[in-house]
Amino acid sequence: MKYTKLGNSDLTVSRICLGCMGLGDPATGQHSWTVYEDGSKKIIRSALDCGINFFDTAIAYQAGSSERYLGHALKEYAKRDDVVIATKFLPISKEESDRGVSAKEHIEGSLNQSLKNLGVDYVDLYIYHMWDYNLPLYDVMSALDGIVKAGKARYIGISNCYAYQLAKANALAQSEGFAKFISVQGHYNLIFREEEREMARLCREDNIAYTPYSPLAGGRLSKHPGQTSKRLENDAYAQKKYSGTMQEDSAIIERVAELADKKGVSMTEISLAWLLTKVAAPVTGATKPEQIINAAKSVD
């Protein structure tokens, strides 16, 4: 495994991050294809054995069970100081807004629940999961700065935003002396390259770490044409993202398969090796240990 500094921080992370959206109780939450705790622990153990020290989850993943599974496994298999844990919080709910809950109360409450789920005193990276149009940006950045100053999060990151939003948030943080976003997690892979238009340049110029999610397009870039999986068949969220461009995407997927066969490696390795030339650490999911093992091979 190879490692890198995560943007303008002192966090040293593996070039592959284990994304934990696929880990969690399949009876709860958004997805039916996730992995129960015994299987999740095997995947996390395999990741650690490959030298992966960077783990990404979210309070929204399977009603918090992803966080709990990750916390249990890391407590059993790793030392806290040897791993980098990232989790995310959701926008404020309508029910909270109706009760007059502030940004500070919402963010602190979400983080406290995540810390409880994970069984830790702090997270290394706390991520603004998606832009909240119902909360003032100042209030969000002030609240995030407060949790950094309190030692509950070492750094903050953002996900699912436009480049102008990231630039605006960090400009506000700069002017107010708040903690700035040191990473961004957006949708980027061989068949979805919109982030190259503006976000990639912003990240290069400001040394913001790019840690893309869906680097294998929900499995589409890791399977030969005709192959399938439970996730490919049941992941309605990914189907919504990719079903409209299946014909255009097929040429790229076929080329990845051709190169994988030519080089004698997996399609996962080809797809991630391309992405690793452009980003800090792809957030790579897995529902089987061999999937994260293949992902780790891409670093070489």
Side-chain angles (χ1 to χ4, degrees), residues 78-248:
K79 295 179 180 178
R80 177 65 186 92
D81 291 345
D82 292 340
V83 294
V84 174
I85 300 174
T87 194
K88 314 179 196 73
F89 67 97
L90 288 170
I92 196 166
S93 67
K94 183 180 184 304
E95 186 271 335
E96 286 176 300
S97 293
D98 290 345
R99 289 193 289 112
V101 173
S102 68
K104 182 175 185 292
E105 291 169 329
H106 169 68
I107 291 171
E108 288 183 352
S110 296
L111 179 54
N112 287 338
Q113 183 59 54
S114 288
L115 294 176
K116 181 179 178 181
N117 289 344
L118 288 160
V120 297
D121 296 325
Y122 68 94
V123 292
D124 300 282
L125 183 64
Y126 199 43
I127 299 172
Y128 189 15
H129 204 154
M130 57 194 71
W131 196 266
D132 194 331
Y133 292 91
N134 294 311
L135 289 177
L137 178 59
Y138 183 95
D139 293 355
V140 171
M141 298 307 292
S142 175
L144 289 171
D145 182 66
I147 65 172
V148 172
K149 285 185 169 63
K152 291 186 175 183
R154 294 177 66 189
Y155 297 95
I156 58 171
I158 192 168
S159 180
N160 295 303
C161 68
Y162 295 109
Y164 89 87
Q165 291 172 326
L166 173 54
K168 184 178 179 179
N170 274 354
L172 173 63
Q174 177 75 28
S175 68
E176 298 294 332
F178 294 157
K180 297 167 72 173
F181 293 124
I182 59 101
S183 68
V184 60
Q185 188 179 128
H187 181 202
Y188 183 31
N189 56 50
L190 262 169
I191 60 177
F192 187 86
R193 298 175 64 173
E194 174 63 27
E195 295 290 72
E196 293 175 356
R197 196 181 304 276
E198 292 186 354
M199 186 66 81
R201 183 168 182 176
L202 173 64
C203 290
R204 284 196 302 271
E205 291 184 0
D206 289 0
N207 194 30
I208 299 168
Y210 200 93
T211 61
Y213 67 80
S214 201
L216 298 173
R220 288 156 183 78
L221 287 165
S222 64
K223 290 178 174 58
H224 284 72
Q227 289 183 317
T228 189
S229 68
K230 184 176 180 181
R231 179 176 182 181
L232 280 175
E233 294 171 0
N234 296 296
D235 189 346
Y237 178 64
Q239 289 169 6
K240 184 170 65 174
K241 287 192 291 186
Y242 299 112
S243 61
T245 55
M246 286 177 61
Q247 185 173 347
E248 297 88 343

Side-chain angles (χ1 to χ4, degrees), residues 278-293:
K278 302 175 181 296
V279 305
V283 179
T284 308
T287 53
K288 299 175 183 177
E290 55 265 31
Q291 292 171 338
I292 198 62
I293 293 169

